[in-house]
Amino acid sequence: MPDSSEQPTRTSTSDSDWWRQAVVYQVYPRSFADQNGDGIGDLRGVTSRVGYLADLGVDAVWLSPFYPSALADGGYDVDDYRDVDPRLGTLEDFDAMVAALHGAGIKVIVDIVPNHTSDRHAWFRKALDKGPVSEARERYVFREGRGPDGAEPPSDWKSMFGGPAWERVADGQWYLHLFAPEQPDLNWDNPKVHEEFRDILRFWGDRGVDGFRVDVAHGLAKDLSEPLAAAADLHEGLALRGEHPLWDRDDVHDIYREWRRVFEEYDPPLAAVAEAWVHPTRRGRYADPEGLGQAFNFDLLQAPWSAPDFREIIKRNLDDVQQTGTSSTWVLSNHDVVRHATRYGLEGSGRAAAEAWLAAGGRPEQVDRKRGVRRARAATLLILALPGCSYLYQGEELGLHEVGDLPDEARTDPTWFRSGHTHKGRDGCRVPLPWTSHPPSYGFGTDGAHLPQPDWFAAASVQAQRDTEGSTLEMYRQALRLRRRLQGPEELTWEEQTADVVHFARPGGWHCVTNLGTTTVHLSDGEVLLSSGPLDGRQLPPDTTAWLSAT
Ligand code: NOJ
């Protein structure tokens, strides 16, 4: 095997294209590393782990919200877009973190939440103070209620977290919140909102960030004309292709064209990636170079463990990116879904199977944990070999499982509360990371952790896996190093394969073969550079990926 400890130079693309084939590591700051011992991760914690991230070999870090927040939705309820939550640090800590990451050659992407503020945001407080018919209310979506005394919500719209999407205020008006009531939706028909967000983008651009992850990018533009349209189920919007009153409306792209002009004020231009849960045929609009430039593709994250499904998704996405000239994106886990090591350990493997398992109690004994990690590793090597950008979620490099059986009293996710305790929510993938094998908090901080960590975190910890041959952490380290060396133009050639195998080659003769079937597959010529699990000579076992050099 070639020596993968050697540090090849970072991506060969010109600086303004750094994002096209980057490996971006998502940090969920409250659960990453706690430097001040209050049980909540913080920015100094991130700074203290820059060495780890550099050694892992990531190109960029995407930081989930770190802004002041009451945490009604894990920080996606922002009180002030130009500050740091005092529990997480200060703006000076932010600058020091960016400097340390940049010093290690790692770019920084921050999360921006433009669909809604928090209900503690100065704008919303003013909107309540000033009362109906005020300019302050025009920044949000306030309406009179229906019925003789206005006691019925203005429409039947449902919140994504359950329950009505409208909340009544003391003077009788109602405001729209597509997520929690603590997240009032902004009114993007108001030029003041546009102005404010352009300014916020510049605030972080001037502080040196390299780009943005745009939350609910498909939700900003809404049809609010009277009478309000019926929208029985917000989830149906994904299939409606631009005809939904709330999701994925064509005029949302006018906003991103404005943002692009702001991005281009910087050299290199700021990058952006859209979180847009839209029909795959509509994703490209968000990734347009005149708009945000890149969009998450969540297709593999939702797919079952099946070679035909994987092949179809990869082909379609690579075709789609040809249309706009963006690069493709690959995601297996993030802070909103059951971790992929657990998904692949469940019968059915897809996102739906994972949601059902969670709803039924998320019990670890119902997961084939070994198979889950085996498949997770194979899937990871597969996406890392694809042309385009890979987004990794903190802890997946440890093969971490979902903590599905958190005690109910520990749960904090609004879905748990607003679904009448039927949907367990997303806390199980947000449990603070295990850095060492010892309680309390497995090296996350000096004391406790804000969500309870299970005993099995000891064996999954960084300490247990670092320098341990065959560990998932070592596989990620080797893969990221090799990928940097092997990465070439964003091209892929499909190789002849049987039904259960995904086999493609990249320029320079880098081959990736994944066996998603149940019987062993013979590997043809080429040196094995890396594999996600042990090989039997040149036999590739089920649930395994191998990278090979030119055949
Ligand atoms: C998407 C974020 O990823 C999720 O965590 C959040 O709850 C919603 N947007 C609302 O901001």
Side-chain angles (χ1 to χ4, degrees):
M1 267 201 199
D3 176 11
S4 60
S5 62
E6 204 179 295
Q7 278 276 10
T9 48
R10 291 193 179 261
T11 46
S12 56
T13 46
S14 82
D15 209 22
S16 58
D17 281 346
W18 67 265
W19 51 274
R20 293 191 68 93
Q21 299 213 76
V23 173
V24 185
Y25 182 95
Q26 180 188 359
V27 168
Y28 190 75
R30 288 175 182 81
S31 302
F32 186 68
D34 171 22
Q35 193 70 6
N36 66 2
D38 64 356
I40 302 172
D42 43 43
L43 299 187
R44 287 183 181 210
V46 179
T47 308
S48 73
R49 303 293 179 184
V50 168
Y52 171 80
L53 296 167
D55 178 64
L56 185 59
V58 303
D59 299 302
V61 158
W62 147 31
L63 218 60
S64 283
F66 49 83
Y67 311 106
S69 167
L71 301 185
D73 180 21
Y76 284 89
D77 44 323
V78 178
D79 296 349
D80 180 351
Y81 292 84
R82 296 180 182 81
D83 207 349
V84 173
D85 187 328
R87 289 166 293 187
L88 271 64
T90 60
L91 282 171
E92 288 68 39
D93 293 334
F94 181 88
D95 294 341
M97 180 197 68
V98 172
L101 286 163
H102 282 170
I106 298 172
K107 308 273 188 198
V108 182
I109 294 175
V110 296
D111 222 308
I112 204 85
V113 188
N115 181 66
H116 42 264
T117 68
S118 83
D119 61 346
R120 308 195 315 174
H121 190 281
W123 273 14
F124 193 72
R125 289 206 307 265
K126 195 165 175 193
L128 293 186
D129 284 353
K130 296 283 176 191
V133 202
S134 62
E135 263 188 45
R137 282 217 174 168
E138 288 300 312
R139 293 169 180 156
Y140 293 91
V141 183
F142 278 89
R143 291 286 182 278
E144 299 301 332
R146 289 177 300 172
D149 54 0
E152 306 264 326
S155 75
D156 66 351
W157 299 348
K158 298 276 179 282
S159 131
M160 290 299 282
F161 294 149
W166 297 94
E167 186 78 3
R168 199 168 196 195
V169 299
D171 53 51
Q173 276 201 325
W174 297 74
Y175 69 85
L176 178 70
H177 60 88
L178 293 184
F179 294 88
E182 294 86 351
Q183 294 166 295
D185 279 55
L186 284 162
N187 172 18
W188 278 89
D189 287 340
N190 184 339
K192 290 255 175 348
V193 174
H194 289 240
E195 214 175 283
E196 175 70 359
F197 271 86
R198 286 196 305 264
D199 196 61
I200 292 168
L201 297 176
R202 290 190 183 105
F203 179 88
W204 294 106
D206 292 350
R207 280 206 116 80
V209 310
D210 303 284
F212 299 97
R213 176 265 188 193
V214 183
D215 189 61
V216 199
H218 57 308
L220 278 48
K222 300 176 175 80
D223 177 5
L224 298 169
S225 54
E226 299 286 352
L228 294 173
D233 181 354
L234 288 192
H235 296 270
E236 282 174 11
L238 305 192
L240 289 180
R241 306 182 195 208
E243 290 151 30
H244 197 274
L246 304 171
W247 293 146
D248 189 26
R249 299 191 62 76
D250 291 341
D251 45 344
V252 79
H253 300 289
D254 298 342
I255 300 170
Y256 302 132
R257 278 189 280 276
E258 274 174 27
W259 287 21
R260 171 56 51 189
R261 290 197 282 279
V262 176
F263 301 159
E264 299 289 333
E265 289 167 12
Y266 294 83
D267 182 20
L270 302 178
V273 57
E275 187 227 16
W277 289 88
V278 296
H279 194 278
T281 55
R282 312 251 316 163
R283 197 180 288 139
R285 301 161 147 239
Y286 294 84
D288 194 282
E290 298 298 312
L292 294 177
Q294 198 184 47
F296 284 130
N297 138 33
F298 296 124
D299 300 345
L300 281 181
L301 174 156
Q302 307 191 74
W305 186 250
S306 133
D309 284 77
F310 272 51
R311 261 197 305 269
E312 195 271 321
I313 287 169
I314 296 166
K315 280 187 180 148
R316 180 163 38 76
N317 277 285
L318 293 178
D319 284 351
D320 287 351
V321 295
Q322 301 282 324
Q323 314 289 317
T324 52
T326 184
S327 66
S328 55
T329 57
W330 309 106
V331 188
L332 295 168
S333 279
N334 65 29
H335 66 298
D336 287 333
V337 297
V338 170
R339 284 184 177 276
H340 66 284
T342 301
R343 287 202 314 269
Y344 291 140
L346 290 163
E347 283 317 315
S349 295
R351 190 177 173 202
E355 295 299 334
W357 163 77
L358 204 53
R363 297 212 309 280
E365 61 275 16
Q366 291 172 334
V367 181
D368 182 339
R369 296 188 140 215
K370 284 202 172 134
R371 189 188 69 193
V373 172
R374 210 166 52 234
R375 289 183 175 179
R377 291 168 58 131
T380 297
L381 280 200
L382 184 152
I383 65 163
L384 288 174
L386 288 168
C389 191
S390 285
Y391 284 86
L392 310 180
Y393 177 50
Q394 67 177 37
E396 68 165 81
E397 75 278 20
L398 306 175
L400 220 56
H401 279 279
E402 183 84 2
V403 186
D405 58 350
L406 280 172
D408 285 346
E409 57 282 9
R411 296 190 187 280
T412 64
D413 191 342
T415 27
W416 167 243
F417 302 109
R418 290 190 58 86
S419 67
H421 298 176
T422 54
H423 290 292
K424 300 276 183 191
R426 302 160 293 177
D427 294 303
C429 62
R430 301 174 181 181
V431 175
L433 287 192
W435 294 92
T436 69
S437 308
H438 315 288
S441 81
Y442 301 97
F444 167 67
T446 50
D447 205 350
H450 66 93
L451 283 169
Q453 298 159 300
D455 298 346
W456 50 262
F457 263 30
S461 69
V462 174
Q463 185 182 33
Q465 296 197 39
R466 187 73 174 87
D467 296 326
T468 303
E469 206 187 324
S471 72
T472 303
L473 180 57
E474 289 306 312
M475 185 201 83
Y476 270 74
R477 289 181 66 230
Q478 288 175 16
L480 296 192
R481 269 163 188 70
L482 263 174
R483 171 185 155 105
R484 246 187 230 154
R485 191 153 71 212
L486 299 170
Q487 193 65 276
E490 294 167 45
E491 290 158 22
L492 170 154
T493 318
W494 291 100
E495 297 289 322
E496 205 179 306
Q497 53 212 326
T498 53
D500 289 331
V501 170
V502 174
H503 183 181
F504 56 84
R506 296 288 308 280
W510 171 20
H511 282 245
C512 178
V513 191
T514 304
N515 181 358
L516 293 98
T518 52
T519 54
T520 297
V521 169
H522 181 74
L523 291 172
S524 45
D525 305 338
E527 185 193 357
V528 176
L529 302 172
L530 185 64
S531 64
S532 64
L535 304 186
D536 180 8
R538 294 202 64 88
Q539 304 300 319
L540 183 70
D543 303 336
T544 309
T545 294
W547 287 359
L548 306 163
S549 64
T551 53

